[in-house]
Amino acid sequence: MRPQSVRTRITDLFGIRHPILCGGLMWLADANYAAAAANAGSIGFMTAKTFPDPGRWKEELEKAHALANGNPIGVNLYISQRPEENEMLSGHADLALQAGVRRFETAAMPPAELVKQLKDAGAVVIHKVASVRHAVSAATKLDIDAVSVVGMECGGHPGLNMIGNMVQGVLASLRVDIPVVIGGGIGHGRQVAGALSFGAEGVILGTRLLVASEIWSHDAVKKRVLEADETSSRLVLASMRNTYRVLDNQTARSVADLEAAGANDYESYREHVRGTLQREAYEEGNPEKGLLSMGQSAVFADRIEPLGAIIDRMVDEMDEALDRLARLRVGRDAAAE
Ligand SMILES: Cc1cc2nc3c(=O)[nH]c(=O)nc-3n(C[C@H](O)[C@H](O)[C@H](O)COP(=O)(O)O)c2cc1C
């Protein structure tokens, strides 16, 4: 576990040592994940929607707290484009608040009522979007504390515009006054130093953590991520305006074939895009099954190890990069004289 080496509004806001957040990971973001992140000086967001049963959700929250040694844990509330999928959101949020959670990551469609529910209870809320335009809109219209903006490199939903972090990562903090976190393609500490120099105050990880030992998926799936490089993901469902970056596997290729053939109704895709296929893939160790979110930073995943070791290495790399940048400076002493 590394001591704190940089302080930003994000580390202060979340009460964490490192400017690194561990994002919601659907089926994989459980109590073990959130606790591992908490104990590593980061914060991990458990995905509420994968615990539809209120009793199980309560148990998982209690377990996370028990394992986190007093460090904060977070909850991810993903707002779907399909309203029927959002019916449990408020109840999930309520149970999390009752369990003492005060750090939330909301994502996707703007959650005004939900944000009010969380803020009234004194929670910290970071809202995740995939474009600077949505970040500006969220920062001005919602009572949120911070915004995270993911670039087109990211695993999961990169939005529609396909702008990478080299542009979007800088633009976000130029356009938004509240603290900005950037994500997408980040898996090395040099990128964390880069993000700080871009004006962001933290980063959010997803793909890089898929090989953490605490992640419950079958080792065969982790091994497939280890074999992956920066070219091993593909974008699907852009034609349905619901772009996903996923592992380029058999299911992704079937979906791409359907798109190429012009399928434009959800029914045509249903058998391939069911979320439960992902869970089965993780359980069975079959990386060809389902649309498995994975981004370009898979290339940085080089071994299965505890999540804390991944964060420690990234913090060391960030420190080295920041030191190197400081050594590159010339003329400062002369200017100060
Ligand atoms: C397997 C996987 C599942 C994800 N599930 C969620 C989720 O449940 N909710 C959410 O808001 N984001 C989810 N994301 C997005 C991550 O929280 C994070 O924003 C993104 O992965 C960052 O980009 P990266 O993958 O390039 O690191 C998921 C990402 C992956 C790789």
Side-chain angles (χ1 to χ4, degrees):
M1 189 202 306
R2 296 295 182 267
Q4 181 160 14
S5 65
V6 297
R7 181 176 174 193
T8 70
R9 287 188 289 174
I10 288 294
T11 57
D12 284 354
L13 199 53
F14 285 96
I16 54 179
R17 278 198 307 282
H18 308 305
I20 301 176
L21 313 183
C22 302
L25 288 183
M26 252 323 254
W27 304 104
L28 305 174
D30 61 4
N32 290 328
Y33 170 70
N39 289 319
S42 170
I43 184 160
F45 298 98
M46 298 162 65
T47 302
K49 76 183 280 188
T50 53
F51 295 94
D53 177 67
R56 272 289 293 119
W57 177 227
K58 252 178 97 172
E59 270 172 37
E60 202 66 17
L61 290 161
E62 280 160 17
K63 180 176 171 189
H65 273 133
L67 294 172
N69 298 308
N71 297 302
I73 59 155
V75 162
N76 171 279
L77 297 169
Y78 187 86
I79 298 96
S80 171
Q81 286 174 337
R82 288 192 288 278
E84 66 278 12
E85 288 190 15
N86 297 330
E87 280 160 14
M88 301 202 63
L89 271 177
S90 165
H92 269 133
D94 222 25
L95 285 176
L97 288 167
Q98 279 172 35
V101 175
R102 290 294 180 275
R103 314 278 194 283
F104 290 86
E105 171 185 57
T106 55
M109 305 290 279
E113 288 159 34
L114 189 67
V115 171
K116 185 169 177 349
Q117 179 184 356
L118 302 173
K119 294 299 296 176
D120 284 351
V124 171
V125 180
I126 184 164
H127 183 60
K128 183 161 64 185
V129 294
S131 75
V132 173
R133 188 168 65 81
H134 287 136
V136 171
S137 164
T140 47
K141 292 183 191 149
L142 297 172
D143 180 23
I144 50 176
D145 300 283
V147 66
S148 51
V149 191
V150 290
M152 58 95 79
E153 304 92 335
C154 76
H157 293 286
L160 299 176
N161 296 332
M162 295 298 120
I163 311 294
N165 268 321
M166 194 53 82
V167 170
Q168 187 161 282
V170 176
L171 206 52
S173 59
L174 288 174
R175 298 255 169 99
V176 174
D177 290 334
I178 60 174
V180 168
V181 163
I182 61 177
I186 297 177
H188 195 286
R190 288 184 186 181
Q191 294 165 299
V192 186
L196 297 175
S197 69
F198 278 12
E201 303 195 41
V203 299
I204 182 154
L205 307 180
T207 297
R208 179 67 183 89
L209 304 170
L210 293 175
V211 294
S213 337
E214 295 87 350
I215 292 282
W216 65 262
S217 63
H218 196 289
D219 270 2
V221 177
K222 293 184 185 175
K223 284 189 181 129
R224 183 66 182 272
V225 177
L226 290 177
E227 285 160 17
D229 67 16
E230 69 277 24
T231 67
S232 307
S233 69
R234 85 183 285 158
L235 295 166
V236 292
L237 295 176
S239 62
M240 298 291 285
R241 298 184 62 78
N242 186 22
T243 314
Y244 253 110
R245 186 180 288 285
V246 295
L247 173 68
D248 189 3
N249 65 4
Q250 214 172 306
T251 307
R253 285 189 290 276
S254 303
V255 169
D257 288 347
L258 280 171
E259 288 188 274
N264 60 5
D265 60 311
Y266 185 71
E267 273 315 305
S268 312
Y269 294 100
R270 186 181 290 277
E271 65 166 307
H272 300 295
V273 304
R274 271 192 298 118
T276 44
L277 284 184
Q278 302 159 352
R279 194 182 60 202
E280 287 161 28
Y282 296 139
E283 279 166 1
E284 295 162 11
N286 179 2
E288 295 305 320
K289 197 171 188 178
L291 291 180
L292 304 180
S293 295
M294 190 196 83
Q296 296 176 346
S297 65
V299 70
F300 298 116
D302 52 359
R303 62 184 94 137
I304 298 172
E305 64 189 337
L307 191 147
I310 297 174
I311 301 289
D312 282 355
R313 283 166 67 196
M314 288 186 67
V315 169
D316 291 345
E317 292 158 357
M318 171 192 75
D319 284 340
E320 279 168 28
L322 291 172
D323 289 347
R324 175 173 166 272
L325 292 181
R327 286 196 305 273
L328 291 177
R329 295 295 310 274
V330 288
R332 290 173 75 203
D333 293 346
E337 278 163 14

